[in-house]
Structure formats: structure tokens, C-alpha cells
Amino acid sequence: MRDRINSALKAAQDAGDKRRCATLRLVQTAVKDRESAARENGKDGINGDEVIEILHKMVRQRDESAVDFENSGKLELAEQERSEQAIIREFLPEQLSEDEVRSACEETVREIDAHGLRDIGRCMSELKSRYPGQMDFVQASCVMRDMLRNGNNDNAGSEQAGEADGKSAN
């Protein structure tokens, strides 16, 4: 991953693409900062999954900034953020579609026999281990939460809620 980023930076420098150079330097700096912090904590650096995590965070930050700029009428700055976001996305693994995320969530719920919201941690942990960097886990968490709340696999959480109201969940 780092080699791809370095190669892309060199190509951007050769092409004279200032926006791309600046964005890739920001990526390199973020990776080096995280690596330095890991070494200070006694680790040997960071792995590829952590680099992907950094890139996802940078994409989210740019998305939030672009929305803020658009809301305040600064369309040129919003476009700049979107451009940086597109550059960073080039280095991320291809993301699963919304339907694929839903399908992965359903499969995980079935396989670990999740019964309610209390199982969301186990479900998300399993998704993260199976699909590292391939989905937006915030979106997946919302999908998973809805599935578990709405009664997939005999939702035990709704039984408890029903008992509190004096109603049965069935």
C-alpha cells in the first residue's frame, strides 16, 4: 500500500499535478504519524489494515468538510474536498454495495445466531474480521441494528421490551 502511494506521488510530481501531490503527501504524513505513535507504544509500526483505516478516516473527514462547505455556500472548497476524497479512495479496496452489505449482515446474524441488540458487538466484530476495509462499518452497524431490532432470529431484545410494556413479543 505504501509503495503504491509513493509511486502515485512520484507520478503526480512528474505530471505536475499539484492537488494530487498535496493530497498524497497528506496521506503519507498521516501514515507516518500513526506509525510513529505505534512505535512509541512499543509496536513495530502499522500494518496494511491500519493504513486502510487511516484512509477511511481521511475520506470521512473530507466528506464531512465538503458537506459543511456546501452548506455555507463555499462550493469551490467543497469541490476541492471531493477531489481529495476521490484521490484517497483510489487506494482503498473496492467497497461492497448496499445490497452486499445487507447480505453480509444477514449472513453474519444467521451464522453467529444473534438474537437481539445485545449481540451487535459480536456481529460487528465478525463483520470487521471478514470484510476489513471493504465496507463502511458505520452503515453496516445501522443495518445490523435494524435487523436485530426488527426481530431477525427471534429477537430477544424485543421480547424484553414487550415484557416491560406488559405485552408479549409474539
Side-chain angles (χ1 to χ4, degrees), residues 2-165:
R2 291 182 192 120
D3 292 338
R4 281 183 54 213
I5 294 168
N6 289 334
S7 296
L9 177 59
K10 287 177 185 169
Q13 288 171 330
D14 291 343
D17 187 343
K18 291 180 182 180
R19 167 68 45 222
R20 190 170 178 79
C21 285
T23 302
L24 293 173
R25 284 190 185 112
L26 286 171
V27 170
Q28 282 183 326
T29 301
V31 169
K32 286 179 184 176
D33 285 348
R34 176 79 66 90
E35 200 163 60
S36 174
R39 286 201 177 107
E40 286 176 10
N41 292 328
K43 294 182 182 176
D44 276 342
I46 61 174
N47 60 32
D49 289 342
E50 289 174 295
V51 172
I52 290 172
E53 181 183 314
I54 292 166
L55 296 177
H56 276 296
K57 181 179 179 184
M58 293 179 81
V59 166
R60 276 192 309 274
Q61 288 171 334
R62 272 143 191 83
D63 190 43
E64 291 169 5
S65 295
V67 169
D68 289 345
F69 285 136
E70 287 168 352
N71 290 340
S72 62
K74 299 177 181 176
L75 300 180
E76 188 174 305
L77 292 174
E79 181 56 37
Q80 180 178 322
E81 292 294 318
R82 299 268 185 228
S83 169
E84 288 181 8
Q85 187 181 46
I87 293 167
I88 296 167
R89 280 186 194 274
E90 291 174 22
F91 299 95
L92 289 170
E94 190 169 326
Q95 298 291 291
L96 298 177
S97 71
E98 221 174 293
D99 290 337
E100 291 170 323
V101 169
R102 180 168 300 285
S103 175
C105 289
E106 289 170 354
E107 180 182 331
T108 302
V109 166
R110 256 192 326 276
E111 288 181 10
I112 68 170
D113 197 29
H115 290 289
L117 288 176
R118 69 176 182 265
D119 295 323
I120 189 119
R122 284 188 321 140
C123 291
M124 291 307 298
S125 180
E126 185 65 24
L127 275 179
K128 287 179 181 181
S129 69
R130 289 183 188 181
Y131 303 97
Q134 296 178 350
M135 69 173 68
D136 178 354
F137 290 106
V138 173
Q139 175 195 8
S141 176
C142 292
V143 170
M144 187 72 71
R145 207 173 284 283
D146 286 344
M147 289 173 60
L148 294 173
R149 186 179 294 131
N150 292 331
N152 261 16
N153 289 357
D154 302 320
N155 186 348
S158 65
E159 288 175 17
Q160 291 169 351
E163 289 171 8
D165 303 306

